[in-house]
Amino acid sequence: MAFIIVGCSQSNEPNDSLLSGNVAASAGKMLILEHLTPQKVYAVDSTEVDDEGHFQFDLTINEPGFYRLKETEQKFVTLILQPDELAILNAEGDLGMSKYTLQGSPESENLKSINRKVGNFFRVRDSLSMVFKANEGNQEVLVQLQNEYNEAVEDNMRYMRDFVRMNPGSFACLAAAEQLNPESDYELYVLIDTELSKNYPNSSYLVEFHKVVESMRKLAVGTAAPDIILPNADGEMVSLSSLRGKVVLVDFWASWCKPCRMENPNVVKAYKKYNAKGFEVFGVSLDKERAAWLQAIEVDQLNWIQVSDLQFWNSSVVKLYDIKGIPFALLLDRDGKIIAKNLRGPALQNKLEEILQ
């Protein structure tokens, strides 16, 4: 207690914070405190753990942020530290690899519960992966494993959704958001953005998160898809908006994209089945070589509208639709509004059956 009290007495300046505690297993070792900013990770300070396991960091923190206290790359704990905070961490064994307690840092406690849940999910995932590899070719087992994995994913996401709904103003929601689905949990991203902006309007973390939410807002289900006007194979300019009145799949792909080519047969099947009922495909290629683009169209039998400016990742549509990877697809209703995203295989046909029955 004397150690802690002395440390506290030294933190009397505005924004001065203290991180101290005991990690007996690290006695005599160096601990490094890193700041996990939205742009990069950098070391803030380091200290040697004394023979009894005590350590202390005197900090000046201007805004709440994510930090990592580590001995090695495998032994660490992530924290959320705030200005004027006196955080105390005590670990029973190796840092981050054993049970530990936190005092004086409510947000770090929240982050601890989130990390514990994610850690459990990763362990289940890795265990299922090992069984999967040992049973390749056994379709019955593989189906069961896929179902178990889907249940684990949903359980993890359910926990994160509940956390956000119960603690929308918690800084730890930024960590929970990383486990959510941007497509199905859009309203929770908006909730986090709204509530945290009230509490931390000038946070650099919130600035970056707000950019993500604004990008999502542009392509949220129910919003009108931005118009695309690009040349087709004959050099004629074709617009996405010209297809109003039809249900349209905007399919971003490229001849060099193997997952895209693997998905093409599913789109072809859906097109043949539902085109006469009002379904159209608007293919947008991120190719850079015209010959490769046209050959892929012919080989894969993509007998629908195809456009491209042949600018690869510099294509105007990449920024317009905030494309991070392909294949990427949006399903639009007859008014050009987004109905769904990235429907694959049977999911696309099931949705079209529902809409066009």
Side-chain angles (χ1 to χ4, degrees), residues 191-230:
L191 177 62
I192 294 171
D193 186 46
T194 301
E195 293 303 312
L196 289 189
S197 294
K198 295 176 184 176
N199 298 332
Y200 312 101
N202 301 315
S203 168
S204 58
Y205 296 88
L206 261 295
V207 169
E208 295 303 316
F209 188 76
H210 183 70
K211 291 178 182 178
V212 172
V213 175
E214 285 301 301
S215 176
M216 293 167 58
R217 193 189 310 276
K218 184 170 63 175
L219 296 178
V221 171
T223 61
D227 199 11
I228 298 172
I229 305 176
L230 288 175

Side-chain angles (χ1 to χ4, degrees), residues 58-76:
D58 295 291
L59 309 166
T60 298
I61 297 177
N62 297 316
E63 67 171 10
F66 290 86
Y67 290 80
R68 179 165 55 205
L69 178 65
K70 75 175 188 180
E71 179 185 325
T72 68
E73 293 300 324
Q74 291 74 39
K75 300 178 182 180
F76 65 87

Side-chain angles (χ1 to χ4, degrees), residues 100-113:
Y100 65 93
T101 61
L102 281 162
Q103 297 176 4
S105 182
E107 289 289 16
S108 290
E109 284 276 23
N110 286 339
L111 182 60
K112 175 185 175 183
S113 67

